[in-house]
């Protein structure tokens, strides 16, 4: 029988963080000045990650996304990709900010990585500095062009914030088309490290589509029966396709089939979950796969998470986790558990 939770949702997709370190300090993810980092000794070894994914595959997971922090900061990452590429997975992808992608695009592809999700919130160099507190915009752009030469099906992910980059919908569409990628506009979410989140900064899917209709005319929804992807996809009259992830205003909790593993082996069943299951002790003890699978199965069968839907129901909605709570439990940080 398929492994399902209390709401009948299967476990199919797993986001695996390989590091909590990042070389950007994005306004919506890591806006504070200081952070508590995981000990390097606590990070799962590649063999442990591989073993864990074998366990998850036995429970029905067939889609793996490597995340961070910034995963390309993890030394010898291509070795992990090689380990995972040999497994019977429907998808093996990686999320990156592309700063190091010019160097790693070809090695990742040779190692067996199938697809990339690249964070790109702005095409404007000065704006990039304000958003990230770093001066690496040119490296990001070179990395994206390097990826376009060896990868297909690349997604460019842009978090849209009012008064920050919401004037770039059309430029981002144009750029994505020029590199053979598909842009996904993401509503600004209040999870984890978004300690400066405000509802006033959210540009909703409805507003984005209205703006694009006023510019291009018809915007047609693409029907994808059975899809559990977070993005709703749309087509413009000229054939260009884009996606919108509307987790803030129109959550997709009812068909969410994804879970997350932190770089030190904590299992979370929801991006908004405040407690996780520590799997590293079982791995380090050498517990049999059946015992580890039993822990995961019990946690998933008890899963009733609908975090984004519950946030929509909050009348006076503000920051989800204040800085003091993040200091007390750094695992609540977005960069700890991956996007």
């Amino acid at each position: 029988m398929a492994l399902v939770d209390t709401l009948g949702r299967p476990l199919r997709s797993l986001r695996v963080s390989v590091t909590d370190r990042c070389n950007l300090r994005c306004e919506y993810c890591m806006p504070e000045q200081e952070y508590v980092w995981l000990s390097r000794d606590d990070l799962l070894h590649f063999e442990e990650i591989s073993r864990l994914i074998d366990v998850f595959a036995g429970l029905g997971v067939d889609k793996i996304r490597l995340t961070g922090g910034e995963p390309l900061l993890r030394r010898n990452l291509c070795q992990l990709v090689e380990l995972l590429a040999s497994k019977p997975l429907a998808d093996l992808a990686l999320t990156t900010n592309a700063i190091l992608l010019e160097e790693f695009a070809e090695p990742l592809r040779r190692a067996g990585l199938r697809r990339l999700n690249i964070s790109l919130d702005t095409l404007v160099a000065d704006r990039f500095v304000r958003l990230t507190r770093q001066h690496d915009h040119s490296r990001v752009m070179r990395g994206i062009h390097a990826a376009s030469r060896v990868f297909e099906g690349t997604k460019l992910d842009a978090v849209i914030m009012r008064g920050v980059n919401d004037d770039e919908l059309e430029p981002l569409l144009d750029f994505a088309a020029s590199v053979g990628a598909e842009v996904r506009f993401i509503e600004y979410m209040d999870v984890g490290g978004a300690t400066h989140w405000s509802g006033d900064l959210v540009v909703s899917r409805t507003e984005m589509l209205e703006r694009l209709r006023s510019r291009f005319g018809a915007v047609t929804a693409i029907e994808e029966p059975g899809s559990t992807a977070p993005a709703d996809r749309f087509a413009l009259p000229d054939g260009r396709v884009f996606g919108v992830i509307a987790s803030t205003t129109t959550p997709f909790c009812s068909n969410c089939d994804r879970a997350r593993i932190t770089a030190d082996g904590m299992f979370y069943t929801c991006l908004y979950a405040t407690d996780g299951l520590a799997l590293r002790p079982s791995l380090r003890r050498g517990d049999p796969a059946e015992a580890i699978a039993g822990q995961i199965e019990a946690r998933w069968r008890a899963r009733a998470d609908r975090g984004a839907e519950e946030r929509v129901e909050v009348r006076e909605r503000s920051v989800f986790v204040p800085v003091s709570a993040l200091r007390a439990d750094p695992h609540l940080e977005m960069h700890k558990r991956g996007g």
Side-chain angles (χ1 to χ4, degrees):
M1 293 180 61
L3 174 59
V4 296
D5 66 10
T6 61
L7 301 179
R9 299 169 294 188
L11 174 58
R12 293 287 306 280
S13 178
L14 187 66
R15 309 284 173 87
V16 181
S17 174
V18 296
T19 180
D20 63 332
R21 308 301 173 103
C22 191
N23 42 14
L24 294 180
R25 292 294 181 270
C26 294
E27 179 67 23
Y28 53 81
C29 182
M30 299 179 69
E32 304 304 320
Q33 295 299 318
E34 297 180 0
Y35 287 91
V36 178
W37 305 107
L38 297 174
S39 166
R40 294 188 186 278
D41 292 338
D42 289 342
L43 300 185
L44 296 184
H45 306 148
F46 289 168
E47 294 78 9
E48 291 171 331
I49 294 174
S50 177
R51 184 181 176 212
L52 200 52
I53 286 176
D54 285 338
V55 173
F56 275 97
L59 295 172
V61 168
D62 62 358
K63 299 176 183 177
I64 300 294
R65 174 104 63 88
L66 301 178
T67 69
E70 168 49 46
L72 296 184
L73 290 175
R74 181 72 185 260
R75 186 175 299 178
N76 300 319
L77 184 67
C78 288
Q79 293 179 9
L80 175 61
V81 173
E82 282 190 39
L83 281 174
L84 305 185
S86 63
K87 301 182 187 298
L89 300 171
D91 190 32
L92 176 59
L94 179 141
T95 294
T96 176
N97 60 31
I99 289 176
L100 301 174
L101 197 52
E102 184 178 23
E103 174 186 354
F104 285 107
E106 289 193 15
L108 286 168
R109 189 69 188 92
R110 288 197 303 270
L113 189 73
R114 302 179 194 175
R115 193 172 57 78
L116 289 167
N117 283 66
I118 300 174
S119 299
L120 181 68
D121 298 316
T122 181
L123 298 170
V124 181
D126 291 346
R127 184 173 288 176
F128 180 88
V129 176
R130 293 196 298 273
L131 275 167
T132 69
R133 286 176 278 169
Q134 301 296 325
H135 294 263
D136 291 307
H137 190 260
S138 61
R139 295 179 70 187
V140 169
M141 302 306 283
R142 292 198 304 271
I144 292 172
H145 283 287
S148 72
R149 294 191 285 270
V150 293
F151 282 98
E152 297 180 354
T154 297
K155 303 292 193 303
L156 301 182
D157 294 338
V159 176
I160 303 301
M161 293 173 284
R162 190 178 310 281
V164 177
N165 64 344
D166 58 324
D167 58 341
E168 292 193 65
L169 298 181
E170 185 175 349
L172 285 164
L173 279 166
D174 291 340
F175 177 73
S178 75
V179 294
E182 182 177 310
V183 67
R184 302 197 306 179
F185 300 120
I186 303 173
E187 292 180 349
Y188 185 15
M189 296 179 67
D190 55 350
V191 291
T195 55
H196 296 183
W197 184 90
S198 166
D200 293 338
L201 294 172
V202 176
V203 182
S204 70
R205 176 179 63 182
T206 298
E207 182 175 345
M208 291 185 214
L209 294 179
E210 287 176 351
R211 292 192 193 185
L212 292 171
R213 286 191 187 99
S214 67
R215 172 65 180 85
F216 296 105
V219 176
T220 306
I222 298 174
E223 299 296 330
E224 297 180 299
S227 173
T228 59
D232 295 321
R233 298 173 73 228
F234 302 88
L236 297 176
D238 61 11
R240 283 183 295 175
V241 173
F242 65 94
V244 181
I245 298 178
S247 300
T248 302
T249 64
T250 315
F252 51 90
C253 298
S254 61
N255 67 354
C256 178
D257 61 358
R258 59 193 54 81
R260 290 167 172 81
I261 297 288
T262 66
D264 61 343
M266 294 290 291
F267 174 52
Y268 287 94
T269 56
C270 178
L271 195 55
Y272 284 92
T274 55
D275 70 305
L277 172 66
L279 297 175
R280 188 181 75 245
S282 293
L283 289 165
R284 298 265 160 104
R285 283 194 307 265
D287 289 354
E290 294 79 9
I292 299 173
Q295 296 180 64
I296 296 167
E297 182 174 357
R299 180 60 66 104
W300 189 265
R301 289 198 185 282
R303 179 191 191 228
D305 299 291
R306 37 183 295 273
E309 290 179 349
E310 290 172 349
R311 293 298 293 164
V312 169
E313 295 166 2
V314 175
R315 181 165 298 183
E316 299 294 331
R317 187 170 180 177
S318 60
V319 171
F320 177 54
V321 184
V323 174
S324 59
L326 294 177
R327 293 284 185 267
D329 184 2
H331 282 99
L332 299 177
E333 295 274 9
M334 183 74 162
H335 69 274
K336 286 283 194 297
R337 60 180 65 183

